[in-house]
Amino acid sequence: MVLGDQERIVHLLNRFGLGASPEDLAYYGAGTWREAVNKLIDDDRPEVDVKIAESFFDAGNPGLQRMSQLQGHWYRRLIITKRPLQHRMLLFWHDHFATASSKVRIAQAMLAHMDTLYENSLAPFRTLLGAVSKDPAMIIWLDLQENTKNTPNENFAREVMELFTLGVDNGYSEDDIREVARAFTGWQFQQSRRRGGRTIEFVFNESLHDPGNKEILGSSGTFNGEDVLDILCSKPGTARYIAKKIWEHFASPNPDDDTLDRITQTFTQSRLQIKALLRAVMTSEEFYSERAVGTRIKSPVDFCVSTARAIGVQRLERADASRPLAFGSLLKVATRDMGMELLQPPDVNGWPSGQQWISAATVTKRIAWARLLFLGEQQSMTRNRRQAPPFTAREFFRATTPEELGKELIKVFGAQATPAQEQIIVASAVRAAQGALTDRNFNSVAAEAATVLFALPAFQLH
């Protein structure tokens, strides 16, 4: 399997970006695929600033409503961003450091948590790990607040080794977990109320810390939490665990030993620089092989965000960056119905992957995304609810006939349709138009054609 520059760039953007939208292809595809790698990793373009609505900080705003606002805000940032890799890595780390609002229950803490992941998504792994470990949402999520020298709690100690660094059963014992818990005693958060809302921040409470000697992973000392994070990041098992997880998430399952050894060595020699690891994956020939290209099932966020960005709706969002538009809410509804809700991973292991995304129920919702996207139509068990179309589709397409629109949708969405499938998509557009393609029926015709397109088995893959 030999891919040309443009095919490699499309693959890069599908896996490490937020889909191969025409806008992203114009920017990242202006040179060779290696130049596209450099642009993705070293992107220094100014980000579009999206402020969360002021009502989020209103003291009278109910907690559940704030969480809903925050979800919509983050989906909107996925649409509007000019730095797709940074947001793609935020999604990866949100899964890796899975923290759910259902337990945290403080909306400002979840806002700060997502900001922490975003700001450190491409930072050295030790920097990211330290920032997340001190994050109040994480402290709540894994009960660090209850971890004191008199009442130790091992939840964070277990997960920082099992899920965040070394991996399951990788060279540590129950004794190590107990000793690590002692090292993290005194890691707390505090809240204060100020005008404009509540602030929440990390504090180290020395009076609750166990200063005694500890035996951790073969080392002895009066370790604290920072010392433990240093120890964990120095272990070869951490580099290999993170390298394998990144490869399996972005490339393909079960990398061969040579590939994993090579990218792990690069990661280790860089002192756990995430950018170095990503570059090693992006420039690996195995990443462009038949095992990797077009074989990964799109997550609900992949599915919905990539199609919205492919149309070009980010132009609308950027033009109205000071006020929320419909797309954040649409994405929140659609991805939730498909089984993935940002800020709400199912447990400490994060979301499922691969074939687990596909079932009779979730495929139905994937197909229904066409009508939600173009018509604002939400389906329920008893009836359909349709709001005004969230945008005027005609301004994003050149088609003047239903036949042209069907073909243009296939091209815009990058769909791998056979000639027979293309005929079916075009025929659905022609039937929906009932003659001519007009301003009045443009969104409805696009929705009907996209409904058929989104049902294609190949469209579930990237």
Side-chain angles (χ1 to χ4, degrees):
M1 183 180 191
V2 180
L3 300 182
D5 268 342
Q6 285 300 302
E7 292 170 309
R8 288 186 174 219
I9 291 168
V10 168
H11 181 53
L12 265 174
L13 292 173
N14 280 334
R15 295 294 179 84
F16 284 100
L18 298 169
S21 70
E23 177 184 278
D24 287 337
L25 281 171
Y27 178 72
Y28 295 105
T32 67
W33 69 272
R34 289 187 180 275
E35 289 172 332
V37 169
N38 293 334
K39 282 185 175 181
L40 272 170
I41 292 176
D42 299 318
D43 201 336
D44 59 358
R45 292 180 297 169
E47 180 64 292
V48 182
D49 189 24
V50 184
K51 298 292 187 183
I52 194 164
E54 284 297 321
S55 59
F56 177 84
F57 300 101
D58 187 337
N61 194 353
L64 287 176
Q65 184 171 314
R66 290 189 195 192
M67 289 297 187
S68 181
Q69 280 182 273
L70 181 53
Q71 285 175 320
H73 169 74
W74 219 270
Y75 282 111
R76 188 171 181 238
R77 289 188 68 174
L78 290 169
I79 291 290
I80 212 169
T81 185
K82 287 188 175 181
R83 292 188 176 183
L85 176 62
Q86 196 163 349
H87 276 276
R88 166 62 68 187
M89 290 308 297
L90 179 150
L91 292 170
F92 174 82
W93 296 124
H94 185 26
D95 182 73
H96 183 76
F97 298 107
T99 303
S101 60
S102 57
K103 180 175 179 179
V104 175
R105 300 177 68 83
I106 301 174
Q108 286 93 334
M110 290 304 297
L111 173 61
H113 178 69
M114 298 302 283
D115 282 338
T116 294
L117 294 178
Y118 175 75
E119 291 162 6
N120 294 282
S121 61
L122 294 170
F125 181 70
R126 173 61 180 86
T127 301
L128 170 66
L129 180 64
V132 173
S133 299
K134 290 182 176 179
D135 187 89
M138 178 62 72
I139 291 173
I140 297 169
W141 175 242
L142 291 179
D143 306 308
L144 263 176
Q145 194 80 347
E146 285 73 52
N147 184 32
T148 69
K149 62 183 179 182
N150 294 325
T151 58
N153 185 297
E154 298 173 5
N155 283 359
F156 180 81
R158 186 177 302 278
E159 306 307 355
V160 76
M161 291 192 284
E162 182 174 299
L163 297 177
F164 301 165
T165 57
L166 295 170
V168 178
D169 297 329
N170 190 13
Y172 57 88
S173 66
E174 289 297 317
D175 287 338
D176 289 316
I177 292 171
R178 283 189 288 271
E179 296 290 87
V180 167
R182 291 177 59 212
F184 280 99
T185 51
W187 283 43
Q188 308 270 292
F189 72 90
Q190 68 179 12
Q191 300 181 70
S192 60
R193 292 189 179 277
R194 300 174 185 170
R195 188 173 182 180
R198 173 191 297 170
T199 62
I200 183 168
E201 59 189 359
F202 169 81
V203 293
F204 174 65
N205 191 330
E206 189 170 0
S207 66
L208 300 177
H209 176 64
D210 181 343
N213 193 71
K214 304 164 187 80
E215 300 282 343
I216 297 174
L217 297 173
S219 298
S220 177
T222 56
F223 301 128
N224 59 28
E226 295 283 5
D227 297 324
V228 170
L229 298 182
D230 288 340
I231 291 169
L232 291 173
C233 287
S234 73
K235 296 297 180 182
T238 293
R240 193 171 186 84
Y241 174 70
I242 298 298
K244 184 178 181 183
K245 189 165 185 178
I246 291 259
W247 180 271
E248 293 194 325
H249 184 86
F250 290 103
S252 59
N254 304 315
D256 61 72
D257 288 341
D258 288 344
T259 298
L260 184 55
D261 289 344
R262 186 176 67 252
I263 64 172
T264 299
Q265 182 179 28
T266 298
F267 191 36
T268 302
Q269 291 176 344
S270 74
R271 297 188 178 182
L272 304 193
Q273 296 284 334
I274 293 299
K275 286 186 176 182
L277 175 57
L278 296 183
R279 188 183 299 276
V281 175
M282 292 181 190
T283 57
S284 170
E285 285 302 310
E286 292 86 352
F287 178 65
Y288 303 95
S289 69
E290 290 184 1
R291 289 188 60 196
V293 178
T295 60
R296 186 168 180 262
I297 294 176
K298 298 172 185 174
S299 74
V301 169
D302 288 331
F303 193 90
C304 295
V305 170
S306 65
T307 48
R309 285 174 63 93
I311 294 170
V313 300
Q314 56 269 42
R315 298 207 310 266
L316 295 179
E317 291 282 358
R318 290 172 190 158
D320 291 272
S322 61
R323 67 181 182 89
L325 296 182
F327 295 104
S329 297
L330 294 179
L331 286 161
K332 179 175 61 177
V333 169
T335 58
R336 180 199 63 206
D337 289 349
M338 296 177 199
M340 186 178 188
E341 186 176 4
L342 291 186
L343 309 184
Q344 199 62 276
D347 54 42
V348 293
N349 295 296
W351 284 280
S353 62
Q355 193 63 40
Q356 293 172 287
W357 286 126
I358 300 297
S359 68
T362 59
V363 167
T364 298
K365 294 300 183 181
R366 287 176 179 239
I367 297 169
W369 169 235
R371 303 191 69 82
L372 182 57
L373 175 62
F374 285 103
L375 301 174
E377 182 175 292
Q378 297 183 34
Q379 296 179 337
S380 69
M381 295 293 290
T382 56
R383 63 190 177 93
N384 290 346
R385 292 185 293 129
R386 180 182 295 184
Q387 303 171 348
F391 65 104
T392 304
R394 182 152 219 163
E395 67 180 289
F396 294 99
F397 294 89
R398 297 179 180 179
T400 58
T401 68
E403 293 90 348
E404 290 176 353
L405 180 56
K407 293 178 181 179
E408 189 174 0
L409 283 166
I410 294 170
K411 182 177 179 181
V412 164
F413 289 133
Q416 301 298 313
T418 66
Q421 290 168 338
E422 180 175 327
Q423 287 182 1
I424 295 171
I425 292 166
V426 169
S428 70
V430 171
R431 284 194 304 273
Q434 296 181 342
L437 187 62
T438 67
D439 289 344
R440 187 179 182 86
N441 70 9
F442 201 101
N443 279 56
S444 295
V445 174
E448 290 299 328
T451 296
V452 179
L453 194 157
F454 289 177
L456 296 179
F459 197 71
Q460 314 313 311
L461 305 171
H462 67 172

